[in-house]
Amino acid sequence: MLFSDQKKQVNLFNRRTFFLYLLKISLFTLVGWRLYNIQIFNSSKYKTLSKQNQIDLEIIFPVRGKIFDRNKNLIARNQKVYDLYLIPEKTKSINNTLNSLSKFIDIDFSKRRKIIQLSSKVKKFQKIKIFENLSWKTLEIIESNKYNLQGIFISEDYLRVYPYKEIFSHLLGYISKPNQQELSLPFISKMPNLEIGKEGLEKTFNPILVGKAGQREIEVNSSGRVIREISKVESVKGEEIYLSIDLRVQEYVVNLLNSYRAGSVNVINIKTGEILCMASTPTYDPNKIIQKPNTLYWESLLSNNLSPLTNRSIQGLYAPGSTFKMIVAIAALKHGIINNSSTHTCSGKIEYGDRLYHCWKTNGHGKMHVVDAIKQSCDVFFYEISKQLGIDKIAEVAKDFGLSQTFEISLPNQKKGIIPNKKWKKNKMGESWYAGETLIAGIGQGFVLTNPLQLAVMTSIIASDGKYVKPTLVKNNNNVFKTNKKYLNEIQIIKKALFKVVNEKKGTAYNSRLEDIKFAGKTGTSQVKRITLSERESDDFRKKEQEWKNRDHALFVGYMPHDEPKYAISVIIEHGGSGASTAAPIAKQIFNFISKIEL
């Protein structure tokens, strides 16, 4: 009995041992298979997953490209600046560090609270930006007291700087952080925190100014702490750009314009199409826009009734006044309405339909041919030829001379203006064109609107005997101009008149002539307020000082030297009065300045 029980116990033990052994074999087999699956069969998959968990990529932002004027003067550069950070884990007490730091930098209560709140949300080894763009004085103090400032870390960065401030504001624009829509742009998609151009040439040339991002491959642990740097590819700085603008001319002109509330001057090298000056006032300081905080300055610009953010050279639209008479004269000569000796008599007004159309000279100019009519700017002469021409023929010639056109000058938001014709009015207003409107258009008023750059291009085409001048803001653009002899004979007559405007008595710009450098041009006065018949005939009205906003715009277009034209100019002074008294003297000063420097 005892033996039988012992035998049963042995058998039971052997069975249990067998099952335990079998279980052990199964476990080892399972573990072995799992190890084989991980290390051999799926090794590439898990290596990739492991690398993703351990390797991180940091973007290295490129330095923005510089911008120069035509003579290599730096007009948009990058200044190395220093930002102040706090690393929580490197200080025993954030409060103590901030207390020590406040001896050198003013840290208000809200700033302190924000830093402390942020430190509780980030990982202890992550940097918290406290201040940016430290002054040299502050930087020196912090560096000399660094041993008392636990956890403080200084980092280098770059700030865009415009050394000539307001002089180039409308041309260059400014940079800032990209908005949500801009983040999708190809050149910025991988660098969401990089500042980009928002206006002007900074915006247009973003793709080449931005440069190419670099990257740093780093190994991090599970909490994100950097263990080591594995590899590094440096960023590539943005390309440099050389503009056609001449700093000396631009600075001189802006300073001239600052004597007036608002205006624009454009100077073009007729031979190359290079824009030497594009000035618009009032201006603004782009440095104040990109420096923080900028809210008050930005709001002051937006609330300014003179719109200092507007580039009047390409966005300001003005009735061209008598500067448009050259176009009307060319059209009349081309279509045989007049010839060089055709005359009309100006008595100071003409009657057409049920309206009187007045000349600026109350008692009239007497008998006028086309050259004298341009020289003395006789309105009646141009009323007469305009009504024979018709608006469609005038519009056709105007567009051939660059009016109502935009140009490939790398500046956004150009306004085309209006060169009206019968079809335009029908489409725009649903009304027919009235014959009287042609007379008003014939002296550059009514629906006719142009921007200052267009007027400079128009003048360049006339000065170059019809060669279509393509304006550019980039130096050595290798412009190829189309030679057009379509209006060559007509232009020769107009150029004789433009010389007389400046250099002969009774010419409207005779008082602005230069003795050494002969230039040619045309004055213009653009009416902004309709004058009633009673006002026109009142001596008191003529003597009375008009409120600034009711004064006429003053215009002048011209070129120099008159015999071998090289430089064309357009001048517009908003509410400046007459072109002869305000705009022409400005052109004289600019031409005189240009003649004395080597361009």
Side-chain angles (χ1 to χ4, degrees):
M1 188 70 178
L2 181 61
F3 176 76
S4 177
D5 290 339
Q6 288 177 341
K7 187 175 180 181
K8 287 179 180 179
Q9 289 179 355
V10 169
N11 290 336
L12 180 62
F13 176 78
N14 288 337
R15 283 199 300 273
R16 288 178 177 175
T17 302
F18 174 76
F19 282 120
L20 286 171
Y21 180 74
L22 190 62
L23 180 62
K24 187 176 180 181
I25 292 296
S26 298
L27 287 172
F28 272 108
T29 302
L30 183 62
V31 171
W33 169 251
R34 182 64 177 162
L35 290 173
Y36 172 80
N37 187 53
I38 292 173
Q39 296 182 13
I40 307 298
F41 190 71
N42 286 319
S43 62
S44 60
K45 172 185 174 181
Y46 288 104
K47 281 179 181 178
T48 301
L49 288 173
S50 174
K51 186 174 183 180
Q52 288 176 346
N53 287 333
Q54 295 179 20
I55 306 302
D56 199 2
L57 292 177
E58 283 186 354
I59 299 297
I60 302 174
F61 287 176
V63 177
R64 193 169 180 84
K66 300 172 185 176
I67 303 178
F68 299 83
D69 86 327
R70 65 182 300 103
N71 298 312
K72 300 182 181 180
N73 293 300
L74 191 54
I75 59 177
R77 61 182 175 85
N78 307 296
Q79 179 178 304
K80 189 177 288 187
V81 294
Y82 299 90
D83 301 332
L84 192 64
Y85 291 85
L86 173 68
I87 304 174
E89 72 170 7
K90 292 193 175 183
T91 177
K92 294 178 181 178
S93 169
I94 292 177
N95 260 322
N96 289 343
T97 297
L98 294 177
N99 286 337
S100 299
L101 186 62
S102 64
K103 296 176 183 177
F104 316 117
I105 302 179
D106 181 34
I107 308 175
D108 58 35
F109 177 76
S110 61
K111 178 86 171 177
R112 180 188 292 262
R113 183 174 62 181
K114 187 177 179 180
I115 293 169
I116 293 173
Q117 287 175 346
L118 191 58
S119 67
S120 65
K121 295 177 182 178
V122 302
K123 294 174 181 177
K124 295 298 182 183
F125 56 82
Q126 289 183 324
K127 298 182 295 183
I128 301 171
K129 184 182 280 189
I130 302 177
F131 290 101
E132 57 185 14
N133 303 344
L134 297 177
S135 67
W136 273 106
K137 183 178 179 181
T138 303
L139 183 66
E140 289 173 355
I141 293 173
I142 291 174
E143 283 289 348
S144 60
N145 291 276
K146 206 170 181 179
Y147 61 91
N148 288 326
L149 300 171
Q150 290 184 342
I152 289 299
F153 173 76
I154 295 173
S155 176
E156 291 182 356
D157 199 357
Y158 287 92
L159 176 70
R160 194 66 159 177
V161 174
Y162 304 99
Y164 295 96
K165 300 178 181 179
E166 295 91 348
I167 302 299
F168 294 98
S169 58
H170 293 108
L171 278 168
L172 297 179
Y174 54 89
I175 67 170
S176 186
K177 296 288 185 186
N179 58 36
Q180 198 61 40
Q181 185 178 1
E182 290 166 335
L183 288 175
S184 62
L185 295 171
F187 62 86
I188 193 65
S189 58
K190 295 181 180 179
M191 301 178 286
N193 292 318
L194 185 68
E195 292 185 326
I196 62 171
K198 293 286 190 171
E199 291 292 341
L201 298 175
E202 288 277 32
K203 179 178 181 178
T204 305
F205 289 121
N206 262 327
I208 61 176
L209 285 171
V210 161
K212 186 178 180 181
Q215 67 179 33
R216 193 166 73 108
E217 192 176 27
I218 53 175
E219 183 179 356
V220 297
N221 62 18
S222 59
S223 63
R225 186 188 298 277
V226 177
I227 305 300
R228 66 189 177 97
E229 181 179 276
I230 297 172
S231 65
K232 185 178 183 181
V233 177
E234 295 290 354
S235 62
V236 179
K237 67 179 181 180
E239 293 182 29
E240 295 177 346
I241 295 174
Y242 292 83
L243 303 184
S244 62
I245 298 292
D246 189 292
L247 167 63
R248 297 165 298 176
V249 181
Q250 182 79 9
E251 192 169 32
Y252 179 80
V253 170
V254 171
N255 288 332
L256 272 182
L257 286 178
N258 281 337
S259 299
Y260 306 89
R261 294 193 193 183
S264 167
V265 170
N266 298 271
V267 180
I268 298 177
N269 183 323
I270 298 167
K271 305 291 186 184
T272 64
E274 292 178 330
I275 300 173
L276 302 174
C277 168
M278 181 183 281
S280 171
T281 57
T283 59
Y284 63 92
D285 185 351
N287 296 303
K288 292 182 180 178
I289 288 180
I290 62 179
Q291 290 173 359
K292 298 177 180 58
N294 58 43
T295 307
L296 290 177
Y297 184 69
W298 182 250
E299 288 177 351
S300 73
L301 295 177
L302 294 177
S303 62
N304 190 326
N305 292 331
L306 293 176
S307 304
L309 293 171
T310 299
N311 183 351
R312 285 168 162 77
S313 293
I314 58 172
Q315 296 170 330
L317 294 179
Y318 309 87
S322 294
T323 63
F324 193 66
K325 289 175 180 175
M326 297 182 290
I327 297 298
V328 178
I330 290 171
L333 289 163
K334 186 67 180 176
H335 288 282
I337 302 299
I338 58 170
N339 58 36
N340 198 18
S341 58
S342 301
T343 62
H344 288 284
T345 300
C346 171
S347 64
K349 60 190 173 185
I350 68 166
E351 186 176 352
Y352 189 65
D354 59 353
R355 248 189 95 180
L356 285 174
Y357 295 84
H358 294 267
C359 185
W360 69 267
K361 190 173 182 180
T362 306
N363 297 323
H365 291 91
K367 187 178 287 188
M368 292 272 108
H369 53 67
V370 65
V371 171
D372 275 345
I374 292 174
K375 171 184 170 181
Q376 298 183 47
S377 201
C378 174
D379 292 331
V380 167
F381 183 92
F382 287 93
Y383 292 146
E384 294 284 4
I385 65 175
S386 295
K387 69 182 181 183
Q388 296 178 63
L389 262 173
I391 192 61
D392 287 346
K393 289 185 176 68
I394 295 173
E396 179 187 347
V397 174
K399 291 176 181 178
D400 283 345
F401 282 79
L403 302 182
S404 190
Q405 310 293 321
T406 57
F407 308 107
E408 296 179 6
I409 57 169
S410 307
L411 280 178
N413 306 318
Q414 295 180 55
K415 289 189 176 180
K416 291 179 66 173
I418 299 171
I419 296 298
N421 57 21
K422 293 178 181 178
K423 183 179 179 181
W424 170 86
K425 190 182 179 191
K426 195 71 174 177
N427 291 341
K428 190 74 175 177
M429 302 178 180
E431 298 177 0
S432 297
W433 184 267
Y434 298 110
E437 292 171 329
T438 304
L439 273 67
I440 299 300
I443 60 167
Q445 295 279 169
F447 294 117
V448 182
L449 290 174
T450 59
N451 71 43
L453 179 61
Q454 290 170 348
L455 293 179
V457 171
M458 173 193 76
T459 308
S460 298
I461 296 172
I462 292 172
S464 61
D465 296 330
K467 183 172 64 177
Y468 192 83
V469 177
K470 295 193 302 183
T472 179
L473 281 167
V474 179
K475 187 180 179 183
N476 299 327
N477 196 46
N478 298 319
N479 259 336
V480 177
F481 297 148
K482 181 176 68 176
T483 300
N484 186 354
K485 297 184 179 180
K486 181 179 178 181
Y487 300 106
L488 180 59
N489 294 330
E490 294 76 21
I491 287 174
Q492 296 305 315
I493 296 171
I494 302 305
K495 289 174 75 172
K496 289 178 183 177
L498 297 181
F499 176 79
K500 290 173 180 285
V501 168
V502 179
N503 298 286
E504 286 190 3
K505 290 181 178 179
K506 292 189 178 181
T508 54
Y510 181 67
N511 290 335
S512 295
R513 67 194 181 282
L514 285 169
E515 295 300 331
D516 297 334
I517 303 294
K518 301 292 185 183
F519 69 95
K522 180 73 188 77
T523 58
T525 302
S526 174
Q527 189 175 308
V528 299
K529 179 179 178 291
R530 185 173 180 179
I531 303 174
T532 65
L533 182 60
S534 60
E535 288 174 334
R536 189 179 296 277
E537 294 175 349
S538 168
D539 290 335
D540 290 338
F541 176 78
R542 293 181 179 278
K543 293 175 183 177
K544 184 180 177 182
E545 180 71 19
Q546 296 293 309
E547 188 180 355
W548 178 79
K549 66 179 181 180
N550 292 330
R551 296 176 196 164
D552 298 334
H553 297 322
L555 298 92
F556 182 84
V557 298
Y559 54 86
M560 73 165 246
H562 82 96
D563 51 350
E564 282 187 44
K566 188 172 182 181
Y567 306 109
I569 194 170
S570 70
V571 180
I572 292 183
I573 303 298
E574 288 187 14
H575 308 292
S578 76
S581 62
T582 305
I586 292 173
K588 170 188 176 179
Q589 292 178 76
I590 295 169
F591 278 151
N592 189 48
F593 178 80
I594 289 174
S595 70
K596 289 177 169 38
I597 62 174
E598 187 176 342
L599 290 176

mmCIF file of all heavy atoms in Angstrom, residues 141 152 179 385 513 541:
data_model
loop_
_atom_site.group_PDB
_atom_site.id
_atom_site.type_symbol
_atom_site.label_atom_id
_atom_site.label_comp_id
_atom_site.label_asym_id
_atom_site.label_seq_id
_atom_site.Cartn_x
_atom_site.Cartn_y
_atom_site.Cartn_z
ATOM 1 N N ILE A 141 26.518 95.004 -18.715
ATOM 2 C CA ILE A 141 26.204 94.876 -17.279
ATOM 3 C C ILE A 141 25.872 93.428 -16.931
ATOM 4 O O ILE A 141 26.348 92.893 -15.915
ATOM 5 C CB ILE A 141 25.029 95.804 -16.912
ATOM 6 C CG1 ILE A 141 25.448 97.269 -17.044
ATOM 7 C CG2 ILE A 141 24.539 95.518 -15.502
ATOM 8 C CD1 ILE A 141 24.306 98.254 -16.870
ATOM 9 N N ILE A 152 20.655 82.387 -16.343
ATOM 10 C CA ILE A 152 20.539 83.376 -17.414
ATOM 11 C C ILE A 152 21.419 82.961 -18.585
ATOM 12 O O ILE A 152 22.567 82.554 -18.428
ATOM 13 C CB ILE A 152 20.938 84.774 -16.904
ATOM 14 C CG1 ILE A 152 19.880 85.302 -15.947
ATOM 15 C CG2 ILE A 152 21.129 85.736 -18.068
ATOM 16 C CD1 ILE A 152 18.509 85.458 -16.566
ATOM 17 N N ASN A 179 2.164 85.735 -41.627
ATOM 18 C CA ASN A 179 0.828 85.403 -41.156
ATOM 19 C C ASN A 179 0.472 83.984 -41.603
ATOM 20 O O ASN A 179 1.260 83.309 -42.280
ATOM 21 C CB ASN A 179 -0.205 86.421 -41.651
ATOM 22 C CG ASN A 179 -0.231 86.528 -43.174
ATOM 23 O OD1 ASN A 179 -0.049 85.550 -43.893
ATOM 24 N ND2 ASN A 179 -0.455 87.735 -43.675
ATOM 25 N N ILE A 385 -8.722 121.378 -80.629
ATOM 26 C CA ILE A 385 -8.230 120.181 -81.333
ATOM 27 C C ILE A 385 -8.794 118.898 -80.726
ATOM 28 O O ILE A 385 -8.955 117.903 -81.431
ATOM 29 C CB ILE A 385 -6.684 120.144 -81.389
ATOM 30 C CG1 ILE A 385 -6.060 119.992 -79.991
ATOM 31 C CG2 ILE A 385 -6.141 121.383 -82.085
ATOM 32 C CD1 ILE A 385 -4.538 119.819 -80.022
ATOM 33 N N ARG A 513 14.525 128.181 -65.431
ATOM 34 C CA ARG A 513 15.571 127.755 -66.361
ATOM 35 C C ARG A 513 16.927 127.704 -65.665
ATOM 36 O O ARG A 513 17.144 128.352 -64.642
ATOM 37 C CB ARG A 513 15.633 128.715 -67.552
ATOM 38 C CG ARG A 513 16.100 130.107 -67.178
ATOM 39 C CD ARG A 513 15.829 131.101 -68.302
ATOM 40 N NE ARG A 513 16.302 132.450 -67.940
ATOM 41 C CZ ARG A 513 15.657 133.284 -67.128
ATOM 42 N NH1 ARG A 513 14.506 132.913 -66.568
ATOM 43 N NH2 ARG A 513 16.150 134.482 -66.868
ATOM 44 N N PHE A 541 -11.634 136.340 -55.308
ATOM 45 C CA PHE A 541 -11.405 134.889 -55.251
ATOM 46 C C PHE A 541 -9.966 134.557 -55.647
ATOM 47 O O PHE A 541 -9.317 133.715 -55.039
ATOM 48 C CB PHE A 541 -12.388 134.162 -56.178
ATOM 49 C CG PHE A 541 -12.151 132.680 -56.259
ATOM 50 C CD1 PHE A 541 -12.577 131.830 -55.253
ATOM 51 C CD2 PHE A 541 -11.486 132.136 -57.357
ATOM 52 C CE1 PHE A 541 -12.341 130.470 -55.332
ATOM 53 C CE2 PHE A 541 -11.258 130.775 -57.449
ATOM 54 C CZ PHE A 541 -11.692 129.938 -56.426
#
